[in-house]
Amino acid sequence: MKKLPLFSILILAFAFQNATAQLDKLAIKFNTGMSFSKPGDDLGEVADKGKAMQLFASLEGSYHVNYTKNTKFGFKGAAVIGRDWANFLAADRSTELKVGVTSAKLRVYPLSYNGHIDDGLEQLLSDDLPLMVQIPVYIGIYSVFNSLHFDYGVGAGKILETAYVDEVNFQDETVKRTMKYFGWGFQPQIFQSDSEKWSCNAVFDFGKYSWKNANGGTSSFKSNHVGFGVQYNF
């Protein structure tokens, strides 16, 4: 068996060290909770809110990018795969719509810190500010720090229309639609381990799914989330 030359060993060691450093900027997050939906556009003219609370779940993989080499401040890009459910009633209460959407989204966190959140907050807050000013400033910064985000994506929606009351003569109908999604929200951190590997967050997201109808019109529904999440930082 041939021995690797010293130069090759050094290259492999550097590549491994660099890959490890890059992995430190990766994170995986799982969010779940309740979704609150409201029909809009053409759908809003023929349907009202149905069952108020539905489940949602999402899995997010993110990567942090520093603004400069000398800081841990930067932005974070993420890919999100999710599942949303919604329920609406026909205006005359004769039928209900059961909606399920599997989505893929791109997410951007414009203000991110690759380290312990308290260290980042200390760098942003000034000790010269009066206490009564520091408190709202702290709350404002904390609300957007590793939290504020914007989403854009697509969804594969399945809409089932079925009888809301017992009507034996109604034939269930299912349609599938490709939907566009735009949203934003806050996911403030509520816990971070000393090792910085694990963290928990709240979820307050606001979004909208829209699609083209068969007649050329546009339908949509708002999908707002309240829940919690768990994140693992590599």
Side-chain angles (χ1 to χ4, degrees), residues 90-175:
D92 60 2
R93 298 298 192 268
S94 61
T95 62
E96 67 175 326
L97 300 178
K98 298 179 180 180
V99 184
V101 184
T102 300
S103 62
K105 307 167 187 173
L106 295 179
R107 173 171 292 170
V108 176
Y109 297 84
L111 181 57
S112 175
Y113 186 76
N114 188 32
H116 201 285
I117 190 171
D118 291 338
D119 297 336
L121 288 171
E122 288 180 1
Q123 297 182 47
L124 293 177
L125 292 172
S126 173
D127 295 332
D128 298 332
L129 294 174
L131 179 61
M132 296 307 294
V133 177
Q134 279 190 359
I135 293 175
V137 171
Y138 179 90
I139 294 174
I141 295 176
Y142 195 88
S143 298
V144 301
F145 210 44
N146 291 344
S147 170
L148 175 66
H149 58 276
F150 301 92
D151 301 333
Y152 181 78
V154 296
K158 183 178 179 180
I159 305 172
L160 169 65
E161 183 175 13
T162 186
Y164 181 57
V165 294
D166 294 332
E167 293 186 11
V168 294
N169 295 326
F170 184 84
Q171 182 67 40
D172 290 357
E173 182 177 357
T174 300
V175 296

Side-chain angles (χ1 to χ4, degrees), residues 156-234:
K158 183 178 179 180
I159 305 172
L160 169 65
E161 183 175 13
T162 186
Y164 181 57
V165 294
D166 294 332
E167 293 186 11
V168 294
N169 295 326
F170 184 84
Q171 182 67 40
D172 290 357
E173 182 177 357
T174 300
V175 296
K176 296 181 179 180
R177 293 288 183 265
T178 299
M179 304 177 178
K180 294 181 180 180
Y181 178 87
F182 177 77
W184 64 283
F186 298 94
Q187 296 185 6
Q189 186 172 288
I190 55 179
F191 167 79
Q192 187 173 27
S193 65
D194 293 337
S195 66
E196 301 177 10
K197 291 293 186 181
W198 291 98
S199 62
C200 298
N201 59 274
V203 176
F204 303 99
D205 286 354
F206 311 93
K208 180 179 179 180
Y209 287 100
S210 61
W211 65 95
K212 290 292 184 181
N213 300 319
N215 60 6
T218 300
S219 286
S220 66
F221 69 89
K222 294 180 180 179
S223 181
N224 301 327
H225 296 166
V226 176
F228 65 93
V230 178
Q231 178 170 293
Y232 178 77
N233 302 288
F234 289 94

